[in-house]
Amino acid sequence: ETGVTQTPRHLVMGMTNKKSLKCEQHLGHNAMYWYKQSAKKPLELMFVYSLEERVENNSVPSRFSPECPNSSHLFLHLHTLQPEDSALYLCASSQYRDTSNSPLHFGNGTRLTVT
Amino acid sequence: GQSLEQPSEVTAVEGAIVQINCTYQTSGFYGLSWYQQHDGGAPTFLSYNALDGLEETGRFSSFLSRSDSYGYLLLQELQMKDSASYFCAVRLVSGNTPLVFGKGTRLSVIA
């Protein structure tokens, strides 16, 4: 139990579908993140929210749309994805956005397959 | 650009000691972190070196040398459960990126 819960654990979707990934943190943290993890590649930061305000958007295609309704919940809305978007999507939180002394706490991720 | 280099795979025997190196090319960063990820699991924080030198936490130690652009994670008394991927990460001084991660080292502990 990491304190960060992601649903669903696995998702298979066609390129024309619309789906959403959900993340909830029970740690009272102020910052939340979406990362993409692909085989043989470093973890790629997608979005950062601090106190429910988006502070980072790492040139992510518009087919990925984040939403942070409150400091405990984070969503990633998906539409018209491509097969190369298949990956493990990890949500994380930290006490503060400054992660120098505030480690990331990750969820177990959503394994996404785009067919 | 900024990059961190780690070996892709390491194999070691149960009970032994293994060192996972991380070399980096970056103009400036606050410190070096290490994360562990078991198959199908979440990355979990292991250690953080803000200053040069050795930090010890039980069987795991982490080292940083800024002058050599180099750090390592040392695992002692290896156990089968230590089989996992290990990632080094830095927070850059410039920009707002929280952490930049290496590609990870897959450690296999064998009997």
Side-chain angles (χ1 to χ4, degrees):
Chain A
E1 178 59 47
T2 67
V4 180
T5 303
Q6 290 187 244
T7 54
R9 288 297 307 272
H10 301 274
L11 178 62
V12 179
M13 60 185 290
M15 289 189 284
T16 59
N17 292 157
K18 290 184 179 181
K19 296 287 184 182
S20 296
L21 310 184
K22 179 182 176 182
C23 176
E24 182 176 1
Q25 59 99 357
H26 313 276
L27 301 169
H29 288 170
N30 293 317
M32 296 188 75
Y33 314 80
W34 281 115
Y35 278 87
K36 177 183 179 181
Q37 187 175 34
S38 305
K40 310 295 184 185
K41 295 178 70 175
L43 281 162
E44 301 173 53
L45 177 66
M46 301 176 71
F47 300 103
V48 181
Y49 277 83
S50 179
L51 296 173
E52 303 158 42
E53 178 183 350
R54 189 192 308 181
V55 295
E56 182 93 10
N57 177 349
N58 248 22
S59 302
V60 178
S62 59
R63 57 186 183 267
F64 295 92
S65 174
E67 178 189 1
C68 187
N70 55 62
S71 60
S72 298
H73 293 86
L74 186 66
F75 295 90
L76 188 62
H77 303 300
L78 317 171
H79 65 97
T80 59
L81 294 191
Q82 304 298 311
E84 60 264 30
D85 296 323
S86 298
L88 181 68
Y89 288 85
L90 290 161
C91 174
S93 69
S94 62
Q95 182 65 64
Y96 308 107
R97 190 163 70 86
D98 177 355
T99 54
S100 303
N101 292 317
S102 178
L104 294 177
H105 293 252
F106 286 89
N108 286 319
T110 295
R111 173 67 63 185
L112 174 67
T113 303
V114 181
T115 60
Chain B
Q2 321 291 351
S3 67
L4 295 95
E5 297 296 327
Q6 305 177 235
S8 58
E9 295 180 354
V10 172
T11 300
V13 178
E14 191 176 17
I17 299 173
V18 70
Q19 178 174 311
I20 299 174
N21 297 326
C22 176
T23 58
Y24 54 86
Q25 295 180 4
T26 176
S27 56
F29 65 96
Y30 289 108
L32 183 70
S33 301
W34 288 92
Y35 285 77
Q36 176 193 61
Q37 185 180 27
H38 288 97
D39 285 347
T44 56
F45 173 77
L46 287 179
S47 68
Y48 175 69
N49 290 70
L51 304 174
D52 283 6
L54 191 68
E55 294 283 342
E56 298 181 70
T57 308
R59 295 188 296 115
F60 293 3
S61 303
S62 57
F63 174 82
L64 175 63
S65 171
R66 290 177 184 268
S67 59
D68 296 323
S69 298
Y70 164 73
Y72 65 73
L73 180 69
L74 189 74
L75 296 85
Q76 304 182 70
E77 302 173 22
L78 280 174
Q79 302 175 10
M80 302 299 285
K81 67 178 181 180
D82 297 329
S83 294
S85 292
Y86 293 85
F87 298 87
C88 59
V90 296
R91 178 172 180 246
L92 303 177
V93 170
S94 61
N96 291 315
T97 303
L99 283 177
V100 174
F101 284 86
K103 292 183 180 180
T105 298
R106 174 73 187 180
L107 171 64
S108 298
V109 180
I110 58 176

